[in-house]
Amino acid sequence: MSGTGRNEPCPCGSGQKSKKCCGGKRPPLMSPSSPGAPLHQRDERLVNEMVRYAHARWGPAWLQVAADAYFDGAETQPHQAHLQLFMPWVVNHWDVEGRPVREWFLEEHGTSLSQEDVEWLRGQRAVVLTLWEVLEVQPGVGLRVRDLLGQEEHFVQEVLGSQQLHPRDAVLGRVAESAGVTVFCGLYPYPLPPLAAHEVVKTVRRELRVHGNRMVSRKRLMEEDTTLGLVLLWRGEVEFLEERARLEPRLTNTDGDPFILVEDHYTFAPEARPGVMKRLAALKGAEWDEAEGEEEQCTFLKKGNAMHASWQNTVIGRARLQATTMRLETNSVRRADALRRRVEAACQGLITHQSREETEPSKLREGPRPPPEEPPTPEMQEVARDMKARHYAAWLDTKLPALQGRSPRQAVGTAAGRREVDAMLKEVENREARLPAGERMDVTGLRRELGLVP
């Protein structure tokens, strides 16, 4: 179970070397220029020494048993990135004959180690594997993180971590400290967004029977079953998100109908065109747009919007008229059927239906790519921020399935509801943190409105 070497073929089957493929996609969150680099180097050296010691004492079988539990019996070798947590975990949290390899190693080789090495290994006895939420990022320096299962908060010296992570990201890892310097000392290679991490937290608390606002004790976090359970839960959420991302997204319009572009084609006699236009204009919600060349366009609206409470109208379709043809355009089969019935009833005797075309969203991506968009101007960014602010102002009083039919404003009336809404706001904050500064919306106002200001 030594993992895949960086110059060996990647186990994913791409044919590339591991360092050029999966082994290089997520470098460890450390840098030689970081104040924490010496601690990382010491820990990596000692972990390797402990693994060699364990091999010599128990043979390779001890590591295979641990790997089968950690990787849940996976038949393929783990990618190199996964070893950055597995190796510290296996010597510090996996019991061999009743205690971790670290304690056997200290007992037999402690007298031959430097005082700094002994102190580092003894300090590992207090290090737990837990979930850390990123509170603040100082690019090029490090991260301020908070334990989602306990109450600890640290500033972690991680240069690369500060370049890869965003506020409200969550990571699974071990945080260790020495001489006033704090580092990640074993980190699962893939972070989770806030809502996914919140699901892990809820499951852990439920399994450990930790109720209310009580924190999970460090003693429970140090138990072998707890550390292994955290890894398996975390991996499950990561794989779920990866699978969901691979699936074709189910696009819908604002009525919740599956998004399908539908075109109904009609013909009419040249002399019937004025009559068709007049009858279309008499339909409820019909508005004629400014003519473009020989084409006339009529937009059909309905009042309100099922998804966005702040919208006054919803466009349900358009009619485009040429000299002897008309094309009805809608974005779902249900809207197309309803609009077709209205138009054919109004224009009975004047138009003849010829054909219908339905285009799935996936087919649209097969066409030529549009030219790259120009960077948004400050005015455009302000409009985007204003639209988001109005959307979330309405969201406060929108009843949501995730809150059992309650609105966020209603849900914060209970402790459990407050935790759910807080996780939702963290998800918004996490998405906003990934945008250019000029496009970000400040979520503080929403938190203040709900009484959830940290």
Side-chain angles (χ1 to χ4, degrees), residues 259-274:
F259 188 95
I260 299 175
L261 294 182
V262 183
E263 293 185 359
D264 282 299
H265 296 269
Y266 295 87
T267 58
F268 48 80
E271 62 272 16
R273 191 170 189 263

Side-chain angles (χ1 to χ4, degrees), residues 298-326:
C298 182
T299 300
F300 300 95
L301 307 172
K302 71 174 182 178
K303 290 187 177 181
N305 186 273
M307 184 175 295
H308 304 289
S310 61
W311 291 13
Q312 295 182 347
N313 296 297
T314 300
V315 176
I316 59 173
R318 289 183 174 86
R320 300 180 186 274
L321 280 76
Q322 297 285 344
T324 60
T325 63
M326 178 175 68

Side-chain angles (χ1 to χ4, degrees), residues 22-247:
C22 298
K25 287 180 179 177
R26 283 192 176 269
L29 300 185
M30 56 180 277
S31 166
S33 63
S34 169
L39 296 184
H40 283 295
Q41 293 163 3
R42 169 177 286 124
D43 188 65
E44 184 176 356
R45 172 176 55 81
L46 288 171
V47 166
N48 289 335
E49 288 181 17
M50 287 187 282
V51 170
R52 286 195 294 270
Y53 157 79
H55 268 58
R57 175 163 181 162
W58 293 291
W62 78 276
L63 188 59
Q64 187 62 57
V65 172
D68 287 343
Y70 184 95
F71 294 104
D72 200 20
E75 296 181 1
T76 58
Q77 265 190 327
H79 294 160
Q80 188 79 11
H82 284 277
L83 301 183
Q84 62 180 293
L85 178 58
F86 171 70
M87 299 308 287
W89 173 85
V90 78
V91 296
N92 287 290
H93 300 284
W94 178 258
D95 286 349
V96 182
E97 295 185 4
R99 53 181 176 163
V101 170
R102 179 195 64 237
E103 296 304 313
W104 291 108
F105 181 74
L106 266 173
E107 183 178 283
E108 294 191 22
H109 294 279
T111 56
S112 63
L113 298 174
S114 70
Q115 185 61 33
E116 291 81 3
D117 285 352
V118 171
E119 289 178 357
W120 176 258
L121 291 176
R122 287 174 176 170
Q124 296 297 302
R125 293 168 175 166
V127 176
V128 298
L129 177 65
T130 188
L131 285 60
W132 300 95
E133 177 185 55
V134 177
L135 300 178
E136 175 190 1
V137 177
Q138 293 187 18
V141 181
L143 314 156
R144 186 163 61 91
V145 297
R146 177 173 58 204
D147 183 359
L148 287 171
L149 296 174
Q151 294 180 319
E152 290 190 12
E153 191 171 310
H154 299 280
F155 187 84
V156 183
Q157 299 282 347
E158 297 289 348
V159 173
L160 292 183
S162 69
Q163 297 167 349
Q164 296 173 343
L165 296 170
H166 299 85
R168 301 303 189 182
D169 276 340
V171 295
L172 174 66
R174 307 169 72 250
V175 169
E177 184 270 338
S178 178
V181 178
T182 304
V183 296
F184 283 127
C185 189
L187 197 67
Y188 196 88
Y190 303 101
L192 285 177
L195 283 175
H198 181 59
E199 290 303 314
V200 176
V201 170
K202 287 195 297 183
T203 302
V204 172
R205 292 174 62 85
R206 183 172 62 250
E207 292 296 320
L208 297 180
R209 294 183 173 85
V210 178
H211 305 295
N213 293 321
R214 292 192 298 123
M215 299 295 104
V216 179
S217 70
R218 295 183 66 81
K219 180 180 179 181
R220 297 299 302 274
L221 289 174
M222 290 180 181
E223 294 174 359
E224 179 185 283
D225 287 347
T226 302
T227 65
L228 186 58
L230 282 172
V231 171
L232 299 181
L233 283 171
W234 195 270
R235 183 185 302 118
E237 282 294 326
V238 170
E239 291 175 350
F240 171 76
L241 293 179
E242 289 176 342
E243 181 64 22
R244 190 172 69 180
R246 281 194 292 266
L247 295 175

